[in-house]
């Protein structure tokens, strides 16, 4: 048993960032990475954007195999941890291997939410969470004869795929049950702008729709019941959210709270087990939250590395996120919530602007559309805890840089 070794479960952004941070720290720990997917850790954001659009676009690996080998990191590719034995401090893999750990790090991410009435795999129903999903969907988008896509769920992934499919000249119909797009994450003002953008791209977006059921023949979905009427459906993307992969942790008796519960140093309720990335829930300004973003995965990995090498530091995130939807670049920093006062700031073109959101006179969040420079400075303002007055941020002749 290698009692000083660090075993990382998961082969995504958080796992890759943790490997890099441990190597940078140069502490010489033995590291083993168990990756369920049969591919080295890769960048997930392009899967709904450039990777889907370009038939020959390769996966962007975080590091190639020779890097892991050179760092002495053992990668168990295409293998899965099926059980954590906390008493003997070892994990059981689906291949039958047992791997002992000194510290274990769970970086298991999320999985796509399934629709309860569509539990069987159908040839024309797609989801998008990993490289295998993206390869299937890409092949379909580039080869199908009937080019009509129904996207169920107007969240980030659904809208990114909708925009990419339009760019590939598909007709696209987005069905969203809420009364506006991205309602949980974004302000109504930005939602409305995004809706107009998709409409201008030629996408039909139906809001507040109820989906009543699915008709299936063999392995093919033929139509779905929308607002009580059947709608012929030749291709469907199910993008109705993600759920955290917490089963391993739950079976091992770790505390779960809408994600694997972690403290500010990324420790779970077992001090020898840490968790990072999309699968965790953590304290943010007095509330427990879970984030699905590259920023969160990378920053939590750095904090976990510090904990593992004995120089623990607190996770104090400034959440940020981006999305690209057919030429529209969205950037968000801080977390928007209902009830904030909004101050718009125009950008250099009509389609370029930022929205500054305040609780009282405290700047809490900034959303930007096609305004990367303003957004960069807005992020620095939030990171520095600055809250310039409404009239200063609204005046586009005053550079945000000068307000730092
Ligand atoms: C299509 C798409 C587009 C996105 N676009 C953006 C974007 O534009 N901007 C942004 O900030 N974020 C984006 N995200 C979100 C971002 O990719 C995630 O927040 C990030 O990947 C989280 O990293 P993670 O390591 O926590 O989880 P993941 O990257 O999901 O990795 C988890 C890994 O763990 C593996 N695993 C799970 N269970 C086990 C087990 N028992 N044993 C071994 N391995 C296991 C999984 O197979 C997976 O490979 C996007 C996500 C997707 C799917």
């Amino acid at each position: 048993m290698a009692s000083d070794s660090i075993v990382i479960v998961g082969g995504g952004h958080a796992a890759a960032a943790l490997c890099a941070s441990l190597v940078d720290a140069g502490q010489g720990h033995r590291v083993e990475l168990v990756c369920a997917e049969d591919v080295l850790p890769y960048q997930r954001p392009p899967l709904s954007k450039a990777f889907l659009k370009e038939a020959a676009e390769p996966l962007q690996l975080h590091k190639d195999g020779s890097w892991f080998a050179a760092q002495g990191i053992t990668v168990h590719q295409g293998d899965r941890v099926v059980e954590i034995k906390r008493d003997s401090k070892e994990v059981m893999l689906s291949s039958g291997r047992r791997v002992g750990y000194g510290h274990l790090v769970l970086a298991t991410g999320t999985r796509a939410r399934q629709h309860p009435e569509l539990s069987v795999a159908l040839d024309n129903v797609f989801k998008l969470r990993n490289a295998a999903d993206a390869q299937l969907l890409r092949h379909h988008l580039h080869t199908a004869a009937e080019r009509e896509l129904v996207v169920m769920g107007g969240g980030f992934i659904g809208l990114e795929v909708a925009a990419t499919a339009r760019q590939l000249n598909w007709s696209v119909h987005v069905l969203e049950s809420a009364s506006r797009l991205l309602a949980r994450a974004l302000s109504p003002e930005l939602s409305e702008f995004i809706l107009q953008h998709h409409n201008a791209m030629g996408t039909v977006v139906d809001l507040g729709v109820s989906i009543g059921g699915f008709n299936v023949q063999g392995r093919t979905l033929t139509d779905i019941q929308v607002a009580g009427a059947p709608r012929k459906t030749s291709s469907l993307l199910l993008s109705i959210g993600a759920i955290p992969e917490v089963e391993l942790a739950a079976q091992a008796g770790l505390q779960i709270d809408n994600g694997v519960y972690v403290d500010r140093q990324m420790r779970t309720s077992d001090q020898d087990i840490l968790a990072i990335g999309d699968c965790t829930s953590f304290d943010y300004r007095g509330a427990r939250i879970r984030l699905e973003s590259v920023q969160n995965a990378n920053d939590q990995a750095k904090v976990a590395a510090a904990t593992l090498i004995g120089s623990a530091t607190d996770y104090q995130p400034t959440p940020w996120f981006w999305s690209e939807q057919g030429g529209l670049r969205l950037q968000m920093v801080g977390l928007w919530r209902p009830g904030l006062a909004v101050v718009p700031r125009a950008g250099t073109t009509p389609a370029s602007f930022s929205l500054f959101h305040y609780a009282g006179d405290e700047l809490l969040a900034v959303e930007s559309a096609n305004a990367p420079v303003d957004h960069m400075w807005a992020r620095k303002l939030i990171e520095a805890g600055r809250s310039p007055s409404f009239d200063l941020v609204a005046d586009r002749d005053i550079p945000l840089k000068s307000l730092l």
Side-chain angles (χ1 to χ4, degrees):
M1 202 107 341
S3 64
D4 66 335
S5 71
I6 296 169
V7 174
I8 307 170
V9 189
H13 276 266
L18 178 58
C19 289
S21 293
L22 289 171
V23 167
D24 288 348
Q27 296 292 304
H29 286 280
R30 204 168 112 83
V31 178
E32 301 205 35
L33 175 61
V34 187
C35 259
E37 290 180 67
D38 197 13
V39 58
L40 288 169
Y42 56 87
Q43 303 278 351
R44 232 160 268 264
L47 297 185
S48 48
K49 310 172 185 91
F51 183 85
L52 211 51
K53 191 172 163 205
E54 306 296 337
E57 182 78 9
L59 283 178
Q60 292 175 23
L61 298 183
H62 286 276
K63 306 279 184 195
D64 61 23
S66 59
W67 182 86
F68 287 98
Q71 308 309 327
I73 298 175
T74 306
V75 183
H76 302 271
Q77 211 171 303
D79 211 345
R80 166 176 282 276
V81 172
V82 291
E83 190 185 354
I84 302 169
K85 290 187 178 293
R86 288 168 61 192
D87 290 345
S88 54
K89 293 185 76 173
E90 58 188 345
V91 290
M92 316 300 290
L93 310 194
S94 50
S95 59
R97 289 194 191 98
R98 306 161 83 98
V99 182
Y101 65 83
H103 283 98
L104 181 67
V105 184
L106 302 176
T108 48
T110 56
R111 64 174 179 271
R113 189 185 294 277
Q114 290 289 319
H115 195 285
E117 292 178 44
L118 271 181
S119 53
V120 288
L122 298 175
D123 293 339
N124 57 344
V125 177
F126 300 86
K127 62 183 173 62
L128 182 52
R129 183 64 224 168
N130 59 30
D133 297 336
Q135 262 145 2
L136 270 179
L137 180 59
R138 173 163 82 174
H139 179 74
H140 187 73
L141 288 177
H142 286 264
T143 58
E146 213 167 338
R147 296 168 78 82
E148 281 184 16
L149 178 67
V150 173
V151 175
M152 192 169 156
F156 284 110
I157 291 177
L159 292 174
E160 289 179 0
V161 173
T164 303
R166 279 299 301 137
Q167 290 174 321
L168 293 170
N169 221 14
W170 278 58
S171 71
V172 181
H173 196 148
V174 175
L175 302 173
E176 167 57 53
S177 58
S179 58
R180 63 183 180 85
L181 296 173
L182 293 156
R184 274 181 299 126
L186 301 186
S187 67
E189 293 81 1
L190 191 55
S191 281
E192 179 57 30
F193 179 79
I194 293 169
L195 174 64
Q196 286 170 16
H197 169 76
H198 283 276
N199 286 338
M201 287 190 80
T203 298
V204 178
V205 181
D206 281 343
L207 299 171
V209 289
S210 63
I211 308 255
F214 303 85
N215 293 329
V216 173
Q217 278 178 9
R219 289 178 53 94
T220 306
L221 175 71
T222 55
D223 51 88
I224 54 184
Q225 293 287 331
V226 182
R231 187 199 187 285
K232 187 177 158 296
T233 303
S234 55
S235 304
L236 176 72
L237 174 75
L238 263 187
S239 50
I240 51 175
I243 45 180
E245 287 279 11
V246 299
E247 283 69 16
L248 263 186
Q251 282 162 12
L254 301 179
Q255 187 177 346
I256 306 294
D257 177 10
N258 178 35
V260 183
Y261 179 101
V262 290
D263 67 12
R264 288 175 181 278
Q265 288 94 39
M266 303 296 117
R267 291 190 192 92
T268 66
S269 49
D270 178 332
Q271 297 296 290
D272 295 327
I273 304 181
L274 285 70
I276 52 177
D278 282 12
C279 69
T280 66
S281 79
F282 57 95
D283 181 77
Y284 176 71
R285 292 174 158 253
R288 286 206 78 76
I289 63 165
R290 199 172 63 73
L291 289 177
E292 291 167 19
S293 73
V294 168
Q295 168 274 319
N296 184 56
N298 286 341
D299 291 349
Q300 288 194 340
K302 286 182 193 146
V303 173
T307 302
L308 290 166
I309 63 174
S311 58
T313 167
D314 277 1
Y315 184 45
Q316 289 175 322
T318 300
W320 57 266
F321 192 81
W322 80 95
S323 175
E324 282 166 28
Q325 300 174 17
L328 168 61
R329 182 168 174 75
L330 300 168
Q331 292 169 287
M332 286 64 67
V333 60
L335 296 181
W336 175 85
R337 58 175 158 79
L340 302 179
V342 57
V343 181
R345 174 183 172 93
T348 46
T349 68
S352 154
F353 61 88
S354 294
L355 301 169
F356 286 67
H357 298 282
Y358 289 82
D361 55 9
E362 186 189 3
L363 179 60
L364 277 195
V366 180
E367 302 173 309
S368 300
N370 302 316
V373 176
D374 268 1
H375 194 82
M376 179 182 73
W377 291 110
R379 197 165 119 192
K380 288 183 193 292
L381 285 172
I382 294 215
E383 281 167 353
R386 298 286 161 81
S387 294
S389 65
F390 293 7
D391 52 335
L392 289 177
V393 297
D395 186 343
R396 63 176 277 200
D397 292 330
I398 298 176
L400 293 177
K401 185 181 178 180
S402 69
L403 306 178
L404 259 175

